[in-house]
Amino acid sequence: MSAASEDDVRENVELAALRRELDVVRGQRDAAWVQLEQMRRSTVWRLTWPLRRLRWVGRR
């Protein structure tokens, strides 16, 4: 195998590993987004919104 072919194989292996890592990170992002949306839709979150708003306004 020539040096150029070995480099191509090495780059393809590295690219495949990076794509797998990207898939994992995207899955984590999607899971975090779902959790955030569930939290925002919860009764406690909606009931405490006025308090969070007052605290935010008070910081200005």
Side-chain angles (χ1 to χ4, degrees), residues 4-57:
S5 294
E6 289 176 15
D7 286 344
D8 288 345
V9 169
R10 194 174 307 116
E11 287 175 1
N12 286 338
V13 168
E14 185 176 337
L15 182 59
L18 289 171
R19 285 182 174 154
R20 285 190 302 273
E21 185 177 346
L22 181 59
D23 287 342
V24 168
V25 171
R26 284 180 174 158
Q28 291 171 340
R29 177 206 59 198
D30 293 345
W33 186 257
V34 168
Q35 272 188 310
L36 179 61
E37 287 301 310
Q38 288 173 344
M39 179 189 70
R40 286 182 175 163
R41 291 182 183 141
S42 72
T43 303
V44 171
W45 185 260
R46 286 183 283 142
L47 288 174
T48 58
W49 181 86
L51 295 173
R52 289 192 313 277
R53 179 73 176 157
L54 284 174
R55 191 173 72 184
W56 181 78
V57 169

